[in-house]
Amino acid sequence: MTQFTSINTIATITATSNKQSEKIVSKKPTKTFYLQPKDKKESDKLKDFGLIEYQSQEKGSKPFFIVKSSNELDIYIEDIKIKKNMGIKVTDPTTLEEVDNPNFYTDVPILINIIKVKSDDPTVSDFYRVKAFKLDNIEQLKETEPHNPFED
C-alpha cells in the first residue's frame, strides 16, 4: 500500500527546469523545481522530511532543494484554485502543436506543499513531488524569458 505524507514550507522558486534524469524514465516527464528555503528553520524542516539539501560552490550561494513536480499542480490565489499542467510539453491551444511548457520562478518566498510518496514495496524508492503552492497574486509567478546567449 502506498502512503502519502505532506509538508508545507516557505521558499522561493529560484527556477523550474525541463531537465530529466537519464536513469529514471517517466511516462509523463514533469518539471523540476529548485527551491530556496526562506530561512534555516525551513531548510531544517525539509531535511527532516527527507529531502537532500544542496549547496553551490559559488561564494555567497544559499542552500537549495531539488524537487520534481506532480503532473498537475494546484495553485491557490485567495479562494481560487487553478490547476496547472506541469508536463515539460503542453499542447498550444491555438495551433494544437506540442510545445515546451514555459519555466518560471518567484522573486519572493511563497507557501509550497510537497508530498512524500512511500511504497511498502522495498523495490520502489520513496519520492517527493511539489503538489501545490499559494500566491498572493498571479504576478508573483514570473515566466522565464527565453533569450539568445550570443546577443550583446
Side-chain angles (χ1 to χ4, degrees):
M1 183 164 116
T2 303
Q3 299 172 16
F4 296 89
T5 55
S6 72
I7 191 170
N8 292 324
T9 189
I10 300 170
T12 301
I13 301 169
T14 58
T16 60
S17 168
N18 292 342
K19 187 174 181 180
Q20 303 297 306
S21 170
E22 293 175 8
K23 296 177 188 173
I24 303 169
V25 179
S26 177
K27 291 178 186 173
K28 289 185 177 181
T30 60
K31 293 202 172 289
T32 302
F33 279 84
Y34 295 83
L35 305 174
Q36 190 173 76
K38 179 180 116 177
D39 53 30
K40 184 176 179 340
K41 177 183 164 194
E42 293 298 319
S43 188
D44 289 344
K45 188 164 66 169
L46 292 174
K47 287 189 284 187
D48 291 345
F49 192 57
L51 290 167
I52 298 170
E53 181 181 73
Y54 297 91
Q55 179 84 37
S56 171
Q57 298 300 318
E58 291 181 33
K59 188 176 180 179
S61 66
K62 296 180 180 178
F64 63 96
F65 294 82
I66 301 172
V67 186
K68 293 293 288 181
S69 177
S70 57
N71 290 330
E72 223 175 41
L73 185 73
D74 296 331
I75 302 173
Y76 293 88
I77 305 171
E78 295 183 15
D79 294 336
I80 300 168
K81 176 176 153 182
I82 301 166
K83 290 213 175 271
K84 177 166 178 37
N85 177 344
M86 292 304 292
I88 61 172
K89 298 282 188 183
V90 292
T91 303
D92 180 319
T94 311
T95 64
L96 300 179
E97 292 178 350
E98 195 173 69
V99 296
D100 287 338
N101 194 356
N103 288 308
F104 57 88
Y105 65 96
T106 61
D107 285 330
V108 295
I110 60 171
L111 189 59
I112 300 171
N113 177 259
I114 300 171
I115 60 170
K116 178 179 184 178
V117 181
K118 184 175 180 75
S119 175
D120 288 337
D121 182 343
T123 64
V124 177
S125 298
D126 298 348
F127 60 92
Y128 302 85
R129 295 290 183 262
V130 173
K131 180 61 182 148
F133 56 77
K134 187 175 187 315
L135 302 171
D136 293 331
N137 58 64
I138 198 67
E139 286 79 31
Q140 285 182 294
L141 203 59
K142 302 190 181 322
E143 193 172 303
T144 304
E145 296 294 326
H147 69 282
N148 181 343
F150 303 106
E151 285 182 346
D152 290 338

